[in-house]
Amino acid sequence: MMFARTRVAAVAAVAVVAALALAGCADTGTTPAPGSTGDGGDTANLAITFLPKNLGNPYFDTSSKGGKTAVDELGGTFAEVGPAEATPDAQVSYINTATQQGVGALVVSANDPQAICDALNEARDAGVKVVTFDSDTNPDCRDLFINQATADGIAKIQVDLIAEQIGDEGEIAILSASANATNQNAWIETMKEILAADHPNITLVETVYGDDDDQTSFDKTAALLQSHPNLKGIISPTTVGVAAAARYLSTSDYKGKVALTGLGTPNQMREYVEDGTVTAFALWNPEELGYLAAYAAAALIKGDITGAEGDSFEAGDLGSYEVGADSTVLLGDPYVFDKENIGNFDF
């Protein structure tokens, strides 16, 4: 498997409380992996089900692509299920169904740190290994968290980008995903701290929520610009939000006047970078994130690791990884995409 860029093993030094559609599944996952007994948690049961925040989201389409590649390499059975909307309780029924099916592992991006915990712990009691990725639950609800990058690193790169783009002064706003998203909230709190400490001439005037819905995020962008006529920049730490905001800016009088950065995928943002709406944005490679999460789930199923700090495992083309504090594995640092390099990536 060839990734756009390869990460070397890294240890998560700190715990990060972090938390990105069509109701149904890409693959039911009801057939156990080759050699499996079909019992959840069996060491031979490499039936691995991905449960993103919502289906139909390009970010999770990409992470699931990486997950499927990994599961195929491992000789297991891949499935993806999920709700149409990224709401706190929407994932519970899918967790319960996967538990009843006796999958070996669930790989979950949580819509809320606590709302799905009871269902996840019931799955664990039934022998299902639980790996969170992208957006974590409370640590006592899962076996392992695959973190895309540290909250500090994700927050800092976005603040650095907007500060550079607006000359380190003026009013900015944040267009987030849902108000309950643990990853978004962790990043935003850290952004506020960085702004207060290092950028006294930048004022955060408002944080709004587009609920990871394209039209809602588009409308929230329009409302921000109408409410704050002196706005100089927007940070959107969500792939749906940043693309919707770029779409609005690209055909408005604000193009070239209001800076936009955040977390996006190259394929979503390419046209807006090339037409000058967006100068630069950041992200990790979600395909790598899904790939790493699947290998971590398999390592748990096979008993190669337990999720304890210091455990290590092999993750295919990505190499060796080590488990850090609070059963967290770190993919790596965020990457900045701009006009010079965006053509080198396809996800």
Side-chain angles (χ1 to χ4, degrees):
M1 176 183 182
M2 293 299 294
F3 285 112
R5 55 190 176 83
T6 302
R7 287 289 185 192
V8 183
V11 181
V14 295
V16 179
V17 181
L20 202 121
L22 302 167
C25 58
D27 177 349
T28 62
T30 55
T31 303
S36 169
T37 64
D39 297 325
D42 186 279
T43 56
N45 182 9
L46 293 177
I48 298 174
T49 295
F50 271 58
L51 175 55
K53 290 181 183 178
N54 60 322
L55 296 185
N57 182 325
Y59 173 89
F60 289 118
D61 290 344
T62 305
S63 60
S64 292
K65 178 183 176 183
K68 185 178 188 307
T69 298
V71 173
D72 287 347
E73 290 175 1
L74 290 159
T77 303
F78 173 85
E80 182 188 34
V81 298
E85 297 181 359
T87 57
D89 296 320
Q91 295 171 309
V92 171
S93 64
Y94 297 96
I95 297 168
N96 293 339
T97 297
T99 302
Q100 293 165 4
Q101 291 172 339
V103 301
L106 273 165
V107 180
V108 183
S109 179
N111 282 320
D112 183 277
Q114 183 60 39
I116 62 175
C117 276
D118 287 347
L120 288 178
N121 281 328
E122 287 178 8
R124 294 170 74 199
D125 289 343
V128 179
K129 302 301 181 183
V130 173
V131 174
T132 55
F133 77 110
D134 175 71
S135 180
D136 200 10
T137 58
N138 293 338
D140 58 0
C141 308
R142 44 74 171 169
D143 298 297
L144 206 61
F145 171 47
I146 309 303
N147 191 12
Q148 54 270 46
T150 65
D152 287 350
I154 295 168
K156 186 177 186 303
I157 193 64
Q158 293 178 89
V159 172
D160 286 349
L161 286 170
I162 202 68
E164 179 180 354
Q165 292 167 19
I166 68 172
D168 207 20
E169 63 177 358
E171 295 182 355
I172 67 168
I174 294 174
L175 169 63
S176 185
S178 66
N180 293 311
T182 52
N183 57 353
Q184 301 281 317
N185 291 335
W187 302 335
I188 290 168
E189 285 307 308
T190 305
M191 283 188 229
K192 290 177 180 177
E193 294 170 5
I194 294 170
L195 287 167
D198 301 331
H199 302 276
N201 295 322
I202 297 179
T203 302
L204 176 60
V205 294
E206 190 174 358
T207 299
V208 297
Y209 302 93
D211 295 327
D212 262 350
D213 177 79
D214 176 76
Q215 189 60 49
T216 303
S217 300
F218 183 91
D219 294 341
K220 292 287 187 177
T221 303
L224 277 174
L225 294 164
Q226 292 165 6
S227 300
H228 303 284
N230 296 319
L231 198 66
K232 291 186 67 176
I234 298 172
I235 298 174
S236 186
T238 160
T239 59
V240 175
V242 75
R247 181 163 58 88
Y248 180 87
L249 289 172
S250 67
T251 58
S252 76
D253 293 337
Y254 298 100
K255 179 180 176 180
K257 298 176 183 177
V258 175
L260 171 67
T261 194
L263 303 179
T265 68
N267 289 351
Q268 285 179 296
M269 299 299 291
R270 184 173 287 104
E271 66 178 290
Y272 305 117
V273 171
E274 292 176 347
D275 73 8
T277 301
V278 174
T279 301
F281 64 96
L283 196 67
W284 47 94
N285 187 332
E287 187 172 353
E288 290 182 355
L289 187 66
Y291 184 88
L292 177 58
Y295 264 97
L300 286 167
I301 292 168
K302 294 187 289 186
D304 296 339
I305 61 173
T306 63
E309 185 173 359
D311 280 354
S312 62
F313 64 98
E314 294 297 318
D317 289 345
L318 292 180
S320 298
Y321 280 80
E322 188 169 314
V323 179
D326 289 323
S327 300
T328 298
V329 177
L330 179 65
L331 175 63
D333 295 326
Y335 187 89
V336 174
F337 302 91
D338 57 24
K339 201 167 188 176
E340 298 300 317
N341 64 27
I342 197 166
N344 298 329
F345 299 89
D346 184 18
F347 67 87

